[in-house]
Amino acid sequence: MKKIPFVDLRAQYLTIKGSVDAAIAEVLHETSFIGGKHVKEFEKNFAELYGVNHCISCANGTDAIYIVLKMLGVGPGDEVITTACSWISTSETISQAGAKPVFVDIEPDYFTIDPARIEEKITKKTKAIIPVHLYGQMAQMDIICDIADRHGLHVIEDCAQSHFSELNLRRAGTYGIASTFSFYPGKNLGAYGDAGCILTNDEQLALNCRMYANHGALVKHQHQMEGINSRLDGLQAAILNAKLSYILEWTEKRNMVSGWYLKSLKGVKQVALPVIRPNAMHSFHLFVIRAERREELIKYLSENGVETAIHYPVPLPFMEAYNYLCHTLEDFPVSRDYQSSILSLPIYPEISEEQVTYVCGLIKLFYS
Ligand SMILES: *Cc1c(COP(=O)(O)O)cnc(C)c1O
């Protein structure tokens, strides 16, 4: 029996072992463990690749959102609008900042926040919108930014799943006042531990975020405010630098893999395939289908060596943590309807066409 893991970080490591091992050895020799040369280099390289003025590294993608919210002055009494379908970081950071998360349902097919349902949620208390480019597909940023402009709201893009995604030739992460990235190991650009960053063209915001992430000080012992300790360590920065030169190639490969799935599963009427927006460059962090009899399919695939996952089993407003908001299933009909059928199939740059064919063969057999 074949074994196809959901992700295979070892396979990727083996393809770049030489440069990663050398990068790690360099950090150990220099003992540049926190901050230092590699962190500065990564910030410079990442900002340059995006054509953005400032990259502020931090400890993880969750902190990145929290830091931006705090430095934009979001706090108690404020509301922040975000999507019903994301990882909890997107909404828990709103609460951490002291504000109230206000959820909006997703668009059918695209899984991203539905712009047509944003305005009805805007109140006098609304301060910001956090769209998430979920699974690697961009939200409709033109419309979202237009709404935000008209109401004087900040836009913060959660790019944790959308490294180098594009829409109309413009990259995710270049629309909002700031964008936040996660380099969690399984993300498209992953460190070998926790890591994250903020991108922005706003110089003052950049300075404030940098200060806040480092105990409120830009210069050692000169604390202009109280902050937090959220730093990128040298080892992670060196590893990210080593991996950065491959990211565009890996993104292309993810698209190639998705192409194999789309071609092979086309016509299987029990499966709804991911839809790519017109003029978009999806980065396929995840390949999410909607499948009939999902639980049986998961079991069948698993018995045949194929690992799958669900992103995410419960939409945010329906989680116990948000019981206090008293939402009902009817408040988020698209999220509700997708909840029981979404299924993430294995996707990573190193997966082979043969492996994808095997997975698709099983799915077709299951439904035949
Ligand atoms: C992974 C993820 C985060 C958080 O990133 P961490 O680095 O794990 O803190 C935030 N938002 C989304 C959408 C994510 O997928």
Side-chain angles (χ1 to χ4, degrees), residues 275-338:
V275 186
I276 305 170
R277 282 190 200 285
N279 301 316
M281 229 273 285
H282 202 303
S283 58
F284 281 102
H285 173 56
L286 296 169
F287 189 91
V288 179
I289 61 170
R290 283 179 285 128
E292 286 179 18
R293 293 160 53 210
R294 180 184 66 182
E295 305 312 316
E296 284 170 70
L297 177 62
I298 292 172
K299 187 161 171 285
Y300 179 76
L301 290 172
S302 162
E303 282 165 0
N304 287 284
V306 176
E307 225 173 62
T308 56
I310 300 172
H311 299 87
Y312 294 94
V314 181
L316 294 170
F318 306 150
M319 292 232 179
E320 200 179 330
Y322 298 108
N323 278 355
Y324 74 96
L325 294 173
C326 299
H327 285 303
T328 65
L329 292 169
E330 286 63 45
D331 294 339
F332 305 95
V334 182
S335 305
R336 172 201 62 199
D337 290 350
Y338 285 7

Short mmCIF file of all heavy atoms in Angstrom, two decimals, residues 275-338:
data_model
loop_
_atom_site.label_atom_id
_atom_site.label_comp_id
_atom_site.label_asym_id
_atom_site.label_seq_id
_atom_site.Cartn_x
_atom_site.Cartn_y
_atom_site.Cartn_z
N VAL A 275 -12.39 26.50 -7.16
CA VAL A 275 -12.52 27.39 -8.32
C VAL A 275 -11.49 28.51 -8.17
O VAL A 275 -11.40 29.13 -7.11
CB VAL A 275 -13.94 28.00 -8.39
CG1 VAL A 275 -14.11 28.81 -9.67
CG2 VAL A 275 -15.00 26.91 -8.29
N ILE A 276 -10.73 28.75 -9.21
CA ILE A 276 -9.72 29.82 -9.16
C ILE A 276 -10.35 31.08 -9.73
O ILE A 276 -10.97 31.05 -10.79
CB ILE A 276 -8.48 29.42 -9.99
CG1 ILE A 276 -7.92 28.08 -9.49
CG2 ILE A 276 -7.41 30.51 -9.91
CD1 ILE A 276 -6.84 27.48 -10.38
N ARG A 277 -10.19 32.19 -9.02
CA ARG A 277 -10.75 33.45 -9.53
C ARG A 277 -10.15 33.78 -10.89
O ARG A 277 -8.97 33.55 -11.11
CB ARG A 277 -10.39 34.60 -8.60
CG ARG A 277 -11.21 34.68 -7.36
CD ARG A 277 -10.93 36.00 -6.65
NE ARG A 277 -11.32 35.93 -5.26
CZ ARG A 277 -12.57 35.95 -4.83
NH1 ARG A 277 -13.57 36.07 -5.69
NH2 ARG A 277 -12.86 35.86 -3.56
N PRO A 278 -10.94 34.42 -11.76
CA PRO A 278 -10.37 34.90 -13.02
C PRO A 278 -9.22 35.87 -12.72
O PRO A 278 -9.29 36.62 -11.74
CB PRO A 278 -11.54 35.63 -13.68
CG PRO A 278 -12.77 35.12 -13.02
CD PRO A 278 -12.38 34.70 -11.64
N ASN A 279 -8.19 35.85 -13.52
CA ASN A 279 -7.02 36.73 -13.36
C ASN A 279 -6.31 36.56 -12.02
O ASN A 279 -5.69 37.50 -11.52
CB ASN A 279 -7.40 38.20 -13.50
CG ASN A 279 -8.03 38.48 -14.85
OD1 ASN A 279 -7.52 37.99 -15.86
ND2 ASN A 279 -9.12 39.20 -14.86
N ALA A 280 -6.39 35.37 -11.44
CA ALA A 280 -5.74 35.16 -10.15
C ALA A 280 -4.58 34.19 -10.27
O ALA A 280 -4.57 33.32 -11.14
CB ALA A 280 -6.74 34.63 -9.15
N MET A 281 -3.60 34.38 -9.41
CA MET A 281 -2.57 33.39 -9.20
C MET A 281 -2.79 32.85 -7.80
O MET A 281 -2.48 33.51 -6.82
CB MET A 281 -1.17 34.02 -9.31
CG MET A 281 -0.24 33.27 -10.22
SD MET A 281 0.64 31.96 -9.41
CE MET A 281 1.82 32.94 -8.50
N HIS A 282 -3.41 31.69 -7.74
CA HIS A 282 -3.68 31.01 -6.48
C HIS A 282 -2.33 30.47 -6.00
O HIS A 282 -1.47 30.17 -6.81
CB HIS A 282 -4.63 29.85 -6.81
CG HIS A 282 -5.45 29.33 -5.67
ND1 HIS A 282 -4.88 28.85 -4.53
CD2 HIS A 282 -6.80 29.18 -5.52
CE1 HIS A 282 -5.86 28.43 -3.71
NE2 HIS A 282 -7.03 28.64 -4.29
N SER A 283 -2.13 30.36 -4.70
CA SER A 283 -0.87 29.75 -4.27
C SER A 283 -1.08 28.37 -3.64
O SER A 283 -0.15 27.76 -3.15
CB SER A 283 -0.11 30.68 -3.31
OG SER A 283 -0.91 30.97 -2.19
N PHE A 284 -2.34 27.90 -3.69
CA PHE A 284 -2.67 26.54 -3.25
C PHE A 284 -1.94 26.09 -2.01
O PHE A 284 -1.29 25.04 -1.99
CB PHE A 284 -2.51 25.54 -4.40
CG PHE A 284 -3.70 25.59 -5.32
CD1 PHE A 284 -3.63 26.25 -6.55
CD2 PHE A 284 -4.91 25.04 -4.93
CE1 PHE A 284 -4.75 26.33 -7.38
CE2 PHE A 284 -6.04 25.12 -5.76
CZ PHE A 284 -5.95 25.76 -6.98
N HIS A 285 -2.07 26.89 -0.96
CA HIS A 285 -1.62 26.41 0.34
C HIS A 285 -2.37 25.12 0.67
O HIS A 285 -1.80 24.16 1.18
CB HIS A 285 -1.87 27.47 1.42
CG HIS A 285 -1.58 26.98 2.79
ND1 HIS A 285 -0.36 26.46 3.15
CD2 HIS A 285 -2.35 26.90 3.91
CE1 HIS A 285 -0.40 26.09 4.42
NE2 HIS A 285 -1.59 26.34 4.89
N LEU A 286 -3.66 25.12 0.33
CA LEU A 286 -4.47 23.92 0.53
C LEU A 286 -5.29 23.66 -0.72
O LEU A 286 -5.67 24.59 -1.43
CB LEU A 286 -5.41 24.11 1.74
CG LEU A 286 -4.72 24.29 3.10
CD1 LEU A 286 -5.72 24.75 4.15
CD2 LEU A 286 -4.05 23.00 3.54
N PHE A 287 -5.56 22.39 -0.97
CA PHE A 287 -6.43 22.02 -2.08
C PHE A 287 -7.70 21.44 -1.45
O PHE A 287 -7.70 20.31 -0.96
CB PHE A 287 -5.75 20.98 -2.99
CG PHE A 287 -6.52 20.72 -4.25
CD1 PHE A 287 -6.28 21.46 -5.41
CD2 PHE A 287 -7.51 19.74 -4.30
CE1 PHE A 287 -7.00 21.22 -6.58
CE2 PHE A 287 -8.23 19.50 -5.47
CZ PHE A 287 -7.97 20.24 -6.61
N VAL A 288 -8.75 22.26 -1.45
CA VAL A 288 -9.95 21.91 -0.68
C VAL A 288 -11.11 21.59 -1.62
O VAL A 288 -11.54 22.45 -2.39
CB VAL A 288 -10.34 23.05 0.28
CG1 VAL A 288 -11.60 22.70 1.06
CG2 VAL A 288 -9.18 23.33 1.25
N ILE A 289 -11.59 20.37 -1.53
CA ILE A 289 -12.75 19.98 -2.31
C ILE A 289 -13.97 19.96 -1.39
O ILE A 289 -13.85 20.04 -0.17
CB ILE A 289 -12.58 18.56 -2.94
CG1 ILE A 289 -12.40 17.49 -1.85
CG2 ILE A 289 -11.41 18.57 -3.90
CD1 ILE A 289 -12.47 16.06 -2.38
N ARG A 290 -15.16 19.90 -1.99
CA ARG A 290 -16.36 19.63 -1.20
C ARG A 290 -16.87 18.28 -1.67
O ARG A 290 -17.15 18.09 -2.85
CB ARG A 290 -17.39 20.74 -1.41
CG ARG A 290 -17.01 22.00 -0.61
CD ARG A 290 -17.98 23.12 -0.80
NE ARG A 290 -17.79 23.75 -2.11
CZ ARG A 290 -18.76 23.95 -2.99
NH1 ARG A 290 -19.99 23.57 -2.73
NH2 ARG A 290 -18.50 24.54 -4.14
N ALA A 291 -16.95 17.35 -0.71
CA ALA A 291 -17.21 15.97 -1.07
C ALA A 291 -18.48 15.44 -0.42
O ALA A 291 -18.73 15.69 0.77
CB ALA A 291 -16.03 15.10 -0.64
N GLU A 292 -19.26 14.72 -1.21
CA GLU A 292 -20.42 14.02 -0.64
C GLU A 292 -19.92 12.85 0.20
O GLU A 292 -18.87 12.29 -0.08
CB GLU A 292 -21.32 13.49 -1.78
CG GLU A 292 -22.11 14.59 -2.46
CD GLU A 292 -22.99 14.06 -3.60
OE1 GLU A 292 -23.25 12.84 -3.66
OE2 GLU A 292 -23.39 14.90 -4.44
N ARG A 293 -20.70 12.49 1.21
CA ARG A 293 -20.34 11.37 2.12
C ARG A 293 -18.89 11.51 2.59
O ARG A 293 -18.09 10.59 2.52
CB ARG A 293 -20.54 10.03 1.40
CG ARG A 293 -22.01 9.71 1.10
CD ARG A 293 -22.17 8.67 0.00
NE ARG A 293 -21.41 7.46 0.28
CZ ARG A 293 -20.89 6.67 -0.67
NH1 ARG A 293 -21.06 6.97 -1.94
NH2 ARG A 293 -20.22 5.60 -0.34
N ARG A 294 -18.57 12.72 3.07
CA ARG A 294 -17.18 13.03 3.40
C ARG A 294 -16.56 12.07 4.42
O ARG A 294 -15.43 11.61 4.23
CB ARG A 294 -17.06 14.47 3.94
CG ARG A 294 -15.63 14.83 4.28
CD ARG A 294 -15.53 16.20 4.90
NE ARG A 294 -16.20 16.26 6.20
CZ ARG A 294 -16.29 17.35 6.93
NH1 ARG A 294 -15.76 18.48 6.50
NH2 ARG A 294 -16.91 17.33 8.09
N GLU A 295 -17.29 11.78 5.49
CA GLU A 295 -16.67 10.96 6.55
C GLU A 295 -16.28 9.58 6.03
O GLU A 295 -15.23 9.06 6.35
CB GLU A 295 -17.60 10.84 7.76
CG GLU A 295 -18.06 12.18 8.36
CD GLU A 295 -16.92 13.19 8.58
OE1 GLU A 295 -15.86 12.76 9.09
OE2 GLU A 295 -17.08 14.38 8.23
N GLU A 296 -17.15 9.02 5.18
CA GLU A 296 -16.83 7.72 4.59
C GLU A 296 -15.63 7.82 3.67
O GLU A 296 -14.78 6.93 3.63
CB GLU A 296 -18.02 7.21 3.77
CG GLU A 296 -19.18 6.67 4.57
CD GLU A 296 -20.38 6.43 3.66
OE1 GLU A 296 -20.34 5.50 2.84
OE2 GLU A 296 -21.35 7.23 3.74
N LEU A 297 -15.57 8.92 2.91
CA LEU A 297 -14.45 9.11 1.98
C LEU A 297 -13.12 9.23 2.75
O LEU A 297 -12.12 8.63 2.38
CB LEU A 297 -14.67 10.35 1.10
CG LEU A 297 -13.52 10.70 0.14
CD1 LEU A 297 -13.28 9.58 -0.89
CD2 LEU A 297 -13.79 12.02 -0.58
N ILE A 298 -13.15 9.98 3.85
CA ILE A 298 -11.94 10.14 4.68
C ILE A 298 -11.45 8.77 5.15
O ILE A 298 -10.26 8.45 5.08
CB ILE A 298 -12.23 11.05 5.90
CG1 ILE A 298 -12.49 12.49 5.46
CG2 ILE A 298 -11.08 10.99 6.90
CD1 ILE A 298 -12.97 13.41 6.58
N LYS A 299 -12.39 7.97 5.59
CA LYS A 299 -12.05 6.65 6.13
C LYS A 299 -11.47 5.77 5.02
O LYS A 299 -10.44 5.12 5.20
CB LYS A 299 -13.33 6.01 6.70
CG LYS A 299 -13.12 4.72 7.45
CD LYS A 299 -14.31 4.43 8.37
CE LYS A 299 -14.22 3.03 8.96
NZ LYS A 299 -14.56 1.95 8.01
N TYR A 300 -12.11 5.82 3.85
CA TYR A 300 -11.66 5.01 2.72
C TYR A 300 -10.25 5.43 2.29
O TYR A 300 -9.37 4.58 2.07
CB TYR A 300 -12.65 5.17 1.56
CG TYR A 300 -12.27 4.40 0.32
CD1 TYR A 300 -12.45 3.01 0.26
CD2 TYR A 300 -11.74 5.05 -0.80
CE1 TYR A 300 -12.10 2.30 -0.87
CE2 TYR A 300 -11.40 4.34 -1.93
CZ TYR A 300 -11.57 2.97 -1.97
OH TYR A 300 -11.22 2.27 -3.09
N LEU A 301 -10.01 6.73 2.19
CA LEU A 301 -8.68 7.21 1.79
C LEU A 301 -7.65 6.81 2.84
O LEU A 301 -6.55 6.35 2.51
CB LEU A 301 -8.70 8.73 1.60
CG LEU A 301 -9.48 9.24 0.38
CD1 LEU A 301 -9.58 10.76 0.40
CD2 LEU A 301 -8.81 8.78 -0.93
N SER A 302 -8.00 6.98 4.08
CA SER A 302 -7.08 6.66 5.17
C SER A 302 -6.72 5.18 5.17
O SER A 302 -5.56 4.80 5.35
CB SER A 302 -7.72 7.08 6.49
OG SER A 302 -7.09 6.45 7.56
N GLU A 303 -7.71 4.32 4.94
CA GLU A 303 -7.46 2.88 4.89
C GLU A 303 -6.54 2.52 3.74
O GLU A 303 -5.89 1.49 3.74
CB GLU A 303 -8.78 2.11 4.73
CG GLU A 303 -9.56 2.00 6.04
CD GLU A 303 -11.01 1.57 5.83
OE1 GLU A 303 -11.43 1.35 4.66
OE2 GLU A 303 -11.73 1.48 6.84
N ASN A 304 -6.49 3.42 2.75
CA ASN A 304 -5.63 3.17 1.60
C ASN A 304 -4.37 4.05 1.63
O ASN A 304 -3.74 4.27 0.59
CB ASN A 304 -6.41 3.37 0.30
CG ASN A 304 -7.38 2.23 0.07
OD1 ASN A 304 -6.99 1.14 -0.33
ND2 ASN A 304 -8.65 2.46 0.38
N GLY A 305 -4.03 4.54 2.81
CA GLY A 305 -2.75 5.21 3.00
C GLY A 305 -2.72 6.69 2.69
O GLY A 305 -1.66 7.31 2.67
N VAL A 306 -3.89 7.29 2.41
CA VAL A 306 -3.90 8.72 2.06
C VAL A 306 -4.40 9.55 3.23
O VAL A 306 -5.52 9.36 3.72
CB VAL A 306 -4.79 8.98 0.82
CG1 VAL A 306 -4.86 10.48 0.51
CG2 VAL A 306 -4.26 8.21 -0.38
N GLU A 307 -3.54 10.47 3.65
CA GLU A 307 -3.89 11.34 4.78
C GLU A 307 -4.60 12.58 4.25
O GLU A 307 -4.15 13.20 3.28
CB GLU A 307 -2.58 11.78 5.43
CG GLU A 307 -2.55 11.73 6.92
CD GLU A 307 -1.15 12.04 7.42
OE1 GLU A 307 -0.66 13.17 7.17
OE2 GLU A 307 -0.55 11.15 8.03
N THR A 308 -5.71 12.95 4.89
CA THR A 308 -6.41 14.18 4.52
C THR A 308 -6.61 15.01 5.79
O THR A 308 -6.26 14.57 6.88
CB THR A 308 -7.79 13.87 3.90
OG1 THR A 308 -8.52 13.07 4.83
CG2 THR A 308 -7.66 13.14 2.58
N ALA A 309 -7.18 16.20 5.63
CA ALA A 309 -7.44 17.05 6.79
C ALA A 309 -8.66 17.92 6.49
O ALA A 309 -9.14 17.95 5.35
CB ALA A 309 -6.23 17.93 7.08
N ILE A 310 -9.16 18.59 7.51
CA ILE A 310 -10.31 19.49 7.32
C ILE A 310 -9.93 20.89 7.80
O ILE A 310 -9.52 21.06 8.95
CB ILE A 310 -11.55 18.98 8.08
CG1 ILE A 310 -11.94 17.58 7.59
CG2 ILE A 310 -12.72 19.95 7.89
CD1 ILE A 310 -13.03 16.92 8.41
N HIS A 311 -10.05 21.85 6.91
CA HIS A 311 -9.72 23.24 7.25
C HIS A 311 -10.93 24.12 6.96
O HIS A 311 -11.14 24.48 5.83
CB HIS A 311 -8.54 23.75 6.45
CG HIS A 311 -7.29 22.97 6.70
ND1 HIS A 311 -6.98 21.82 6.00
CD2 HIS A 311 -6.28 23.17 7.58
CE1 HIS A 311 -5.82 21.35 6.43
NE2 HIS A 311 -5.38 22.14 7.38
N TYR A 312 -11.76 24.38 7.96
CA TYR A 312 -11.65 23.96 9.34
C TYR A 312 -12.95 23.31 9.72
O TYR A 312 -14.00 23.67 9.19
CB TYR A 312 -11.33 25.17 10.20
CG TYR A 312 -9.95 25.72 9.84
CD1 TYR A 312 -9.82 26.75 8.90
CD2 TYR A 312 -8.80 25.17 10.40
CE1 TYR A 312 -8.56 27.21 8.53
CE2 TYR A 312 -7.53 25.64 10.04
CZ TYR A 312 -7.42 26.65 9.11
OH TYR A 312 -6.18 27.10 8.74
N PRO A 313 -12.91 22.35 10.65
CA PRO A 313 -14.12 21.57 10.94
C PRO A 313 -15.29 22.44 11.41
O PRO A 313 -16.43 22.13 11.12
CB PRO A 313 -13.67 20.64 12.06
CG PRO A 313 -12.19 20.61 12.00
CD PRO A 313 -11.75 21.92 11.43
N VAL A 314 -14.99 23.52 12.13
CA VAL A 314 -16.06 24.39 12.64
C VAL A 314 -15.76 25.85 12.29
O VAL A 314 -14.71 26.37 12.64
CB VAL A 314 -16.19 24.25 14.18
CG1 VAL A 314 -17.32 25.13 14.71
CG2 VAL A 314 -16.40 22.80 14.59
N PRO A 315 -16.67 26.52 11.57
CA PRO A 315 -16.46 27.95 11.30
C PRO A 315 -16.35 28.72 12.62
O PRO A 315 -16.97 28.35 13.61
CB PRO A 315 -17.71 28.35 10.52
CG PRO A 315 -18.22 27.07 9.92
CD PRO A 315 -17.88 26.00 10.92
N LEU A 316 -15.59 29.81 12.59
CA LEU A 316 -15.30 30.53 13.84
C LEU A 316 -16.54 30.92 14.65
O LEU A 316 -16.57 30.70 15.86
CB LEU A 316 -14.46 31.78 13.53
CG LEU A 316 -13.05 31.48 13.00
CD1 LEU A 316 -12.39 32.76 12.49
CD2 LEU A 316 -12.20 30.82 14.07
N PRO A 317 -17.60 31.47 14.03
CA PRO A 317 -18.73 31.93 14.86
C PRO A 317 -19.43 30.79 15.58
O PRO A 317 -20.14 31.02 16.57
CB PRO A 317 -19.69 32.57 13.85
CG PRO A 317 -18.94 32.70 12.58
CD PRO A 317 -17.79 31.76 12.61
N PHE A 318 -19.24 29.55 15.10
CA PHE A 318 -19.92 28.41 15.72
C PHE A 318 -19.06 27.74 16.79
O PHE A 318 -19.44 26.74 17.38
CB PHE A 318 -20.33 27.38 14.66
CG PHE A 318 -21.14 27.94 13.52
CD1 PHE A 318 -21.06 27.38 12.25
CD2 PHE A 318 -21.98 29.03 13.72
CE1 PHE A 318 -21.80 27.89 11.19
CE2 PHE A 318 -22.72 29.55 12.66
CZ PHE A 318 -22.63 28.98 11.39
N MET A 319 -17.88 28.27 17.01
CA MET A 319 -17.00 27.70 18.02
C MET A 319 -17.47 28.08 19.41
O MET A 319 -18.00 29.18 19.62
CB MET A 319 -15.58 28.23 17.84
CG MET A 319 -14.94 27.76 16.58
SD MET A 319 -13.36 27.07 16.98
CE MET A 319 -12.83 26.58 15.35
N GLU A 320 -17.16 27.20 20.36
CA GLU A 320 -17.55 27.44 21.75
C GLU A 320 -17.03 28.80 22.24
O GLU A 320 -17.72 29.50 22.99
CB GLU A 320 -17.00 26.31 22.62
CG GLU A 320 -17.69 26.19 23.95
CD GLU A 320 -17.13 25.03 24.78
OE1 GLU A 320 -16.65 24.03 24.18
OE2 GLU A 320 -17.16 25.15 26.00
N ALA A 321 -15.83 29.16 21.78
CA ALA A 321 -15.22 30.41 22.24
C ALA A 321 -16.11 31.62 21.92
O ALA A 321 -15.99 32.67 22.55
CB ALA A 321 -13.86 30.59 21.58
N TYR A 322 -16.97 31.48 20.90
CA TYR A 322 -17.81 32.62 20.48
C TYR A 322 -19.29 32.42 20.80
O TYR A 322 -20.15 33.11 20.25
CB TYR A 322 -17.57 32.93 19.00
CG TYR A 322 -16.13 33.33 18.77
CD1 TYR A 322 -15.24 32.47 18.12
CD2 TYR A 322 -15.66 34.54 19.27
CE1 TYR A 322 -13.91 32.83 17.96
CE2 TYR A 322 -14.33 34.90 19.12
CZ TYR A 322 -13.46 34.04 18.47
OH TYR A 322 -12.14 34.39 18.34
N ASN A 323 -19.56 31.49 21.72
CA ASN A 323 -20.95 31.29 22.16
C ASN A 323 -21.57 32.59 22.63
O ASN A 323 -22.75 32.84 22.44
CB ASN A 323 -21.01 30.27 23.31
CG ASN A 323 -20.99 28.84 22.80
OD1 ASN A 323 -21.03 28.61 21.59
ND2 ASN A 323 -20.91 27.88 23.70
N TYR A 324 -20.72 33.44 23.24
CA TYR A 324 -21.24 34.68 23.83
C TYR A 324 -21.79 35.64 22.77
O TYR A 324 -22.55 36.55 23.09
CB TYR A 324 -20.15 35.37 24.67
CG TYR A 324 -19.07 36.05 23.87
CD1 TYR A 324 -19.15 37.43 23.62
CD2 TYR A 324 -17.96 35.36 23.39
CE1 TYR A 324 -18.16 38.07 22.89
CE2 TYR A 324 -16.98 35.98 22.66
CZ TYR A 324 -17.08 37.34 22.41
OH TYR A 324 -16.10 37.97 21.68
N LEU A 325 -21.43 35.42 21.51
CA LEU A 325 -21.96 36.27 20.44
C LEU A 325 -23.36 35.82 20.00
O LEU A 325 -24.03 36.52 19.24
CB LEU A 325 -21.01 36.28 19.24
CG LEU A 325 -19.63 36.93 19.47
CD1 LEU A 325 -18.72 36.71 18.26
CD2 LEU A 325 -19.76 38.42 19.77
N CYS A 326 -23.77 34.63 20.51
CA CYS A 326 -25.13 34.11 20.27
C CYS A 326 -25.51 33.99 18.80
O CYS A 326 -26.62 34.36 18.41
CB CYS A 326 -26.17 34.97 21.00
SG CYS A 326 -25.92 35.00 22.77
N HIS A 327 -24.58 33.51 17.97
CA HIS A 327 -24.90 33.33 16.56
C HIS A 327 -25.69 32.04 16.34
O HIS A 327 -25.57 31.10 17.10
CB HIS A 327 -23.62 33.27 15.73
CG HIS A 327 -22.98 34.59 15.54
ND1 HIS A 327 -23.65 35.65 14.96
CD2 HIS A 327 -21.75 35.05 15.85
CE1 HIS A 327 -22.84 36.69 14.93
NE2 HIS A 327 -21.69 36.37 15.46
N THR A 328 -26.48 32.03 15.27
CA THR A 328 -27.14 30.79 14.88
C THR A 328 -26.58 30.37 13.53
O THR A 328 -25.95 31.18 12.84
CB THR A 328 -28.67 30.99 14.72
OG1 THR A 328 -28.89 31.91 13.63
CG2 THR A 328 -29.29 31.54 16.00
N LEU A 329 -26.82 29.13 13.15
CA LEU A 329 -26.32 28.60 11.88
C LEU A 329 -26.81 29.44 10.71
O LEU A 329 -26.12 29.61 9.71
CB LEU A 329 -26.76 27.14 11.70
CG LEU A 329 -26.11 26.13 12.67
CD1 LEU A 329 -26.82 24.78 12.58
CD2 LEU A 329 -24.63 25.95 12.35
N GLU A 330 -28.02 30.00 10.85
CA GLU A 330 -28.63 30.78 9.77
C GLU A 330 -27.88 32.09 9.50
O GLU A 330 -28.04 32.70 8.45
CB GLU A 330 -30.10 31.10 10.09
CG GLU A 330 -31.05 29.91 9.97
CD GLU A 330 -30.74 28.79 10.94
OE1 GLU A 330 -30.49 29.08 12.13
OE2 GLU A 330 -30.70 27.63 10.51
N ASP A 331 -27.08 32.53 10.48
CA ASP A 331 -26.35 33.78 10.30
C ASP A 331 -25.24 33.64 9.24
O ASP A 331 -24.79 34.64 8.68
CB ASP A 331 -25.69 34.23 11.62
CG ASP A 331 -26.73 34.61 12.67
OD1 ASP A 331 -27.88 34.91 12.28
OD2 ASP A 331 -26.40 34.58 13.87
N PHE A 332 -24.77 32.42 9.03
CA PHE A 332 -23.65 32.21 8.10
C PHE A 332 -23.97 31.00 7.22
O PHE A 332 -23.35 29.94 7.35
CB PHE A 332 -22.35 31.98 8.89
CG PHE A 332 -22.06 33.11 9.85
CD1 PHE A 332 -22.46 33.02 11.19
CD2 PHE A 332 -21.42 34.26 9.42
CE1 PHE A 332 -22.22 34.06 12.07
CE2 PHE A 332 -21.19 35.30 10.30
CZ PHE A 332 -21.59 35.21 11.63
N PRO A 333 -24.94 31.17 6.30
CA PRO A 333 -25.45 30.00 5.57
C PRO A 333 -24.40 29.31 4.69
O PRO A 333 -24.42 28.08 4.58
CB PRO A 333 -26.58 30.59 4.71
CG PRO A 333 -26.41 32.07 4.75
CD PRO A 333 -25.67 32.40 6.01
N VAL A 334 -23.49 30.07 4.08
CA VAL A 334 -22.51 29.41 3.20
C VAL A 334 -21.52 28.60 4.05
O VAL A 334 -21.25 27.42 3.78
CB VAL A 334 -21.77 30.43 2.31
CG1 VAL A 334 -20.80 29.73 1.38
CG2 VAL A 334 -22.77 31.27 1.51
N SER A 335 -21.00 29.23 5.09
CA SER A 335 -20.09 28.52 6.00
C SER A 335 -20.77 27.28 6.57
O SER A 335 -20.17 26.21 6.66
CB SER A 335 -19.67 29.43 7.15
OG SER A 335 -19.12 30.62 6.67
N ARG A 336 -22.03 27.45 6.95
CA ARG A 336 -22.79 26.33 7.51
C ARG A 336 -22.89 25.18 6.50
O ARG A 336 -22.62 24.03 6.81
CB ARG A 336 -24.21 26.80 7.88
CG ARG A 336 -25.16 25.68 8.30
CD ARG A 336 -26.61 26.11 8.14
NE ARG A 336 -26.94 26.40 6.74
CZ ARG A 336 -27.99 27.12 6.35
NH1 ARG A 336 -28.81 27.64 7.24
NH2 ARG A 336 -28.22 27.34 5.06
N ASP A 337 -23.24 25.53 5.25
CA ASP A 337 -23.43 24.49 4.24
C ASP A 337 -22.14 23.78 3.88
O ASP A 337 -22.15 22.61 3.50
CB ASP A 337 -24.05 25.09 2.97
CG ASP A 337 -25.50 25.51 3.20
OD1 ASP A 337 -26.05 25.16 4.27
OD2 ASP A 337 -26.07 26.19 2.33
N TYR A 338 -21.01 24.49 3.95
CA TYR A 338 -19.74 23.88 3.54
C TYR A 338 -19.10 23.04 4.65
O TYR A 338 -18.26 22.19 4.39
CB TYR A 338 -18.74 24.97 3.11
CG TYR A 338 -19.03 25.58 1.75
CD1 TYR A 338 -20.19 25.27 1.05
CD2 TYR A 338 -18.11 26.45 1.16
CE1 TYR A 338 -20.45 25.84 -0.19
CE2 TYR A 338 -18.36 27.01 -0.09
CZ TYR A 338 -19.53 26.71 -0.76
OH TYR A 338 -19.77 27.26 -1.99
#
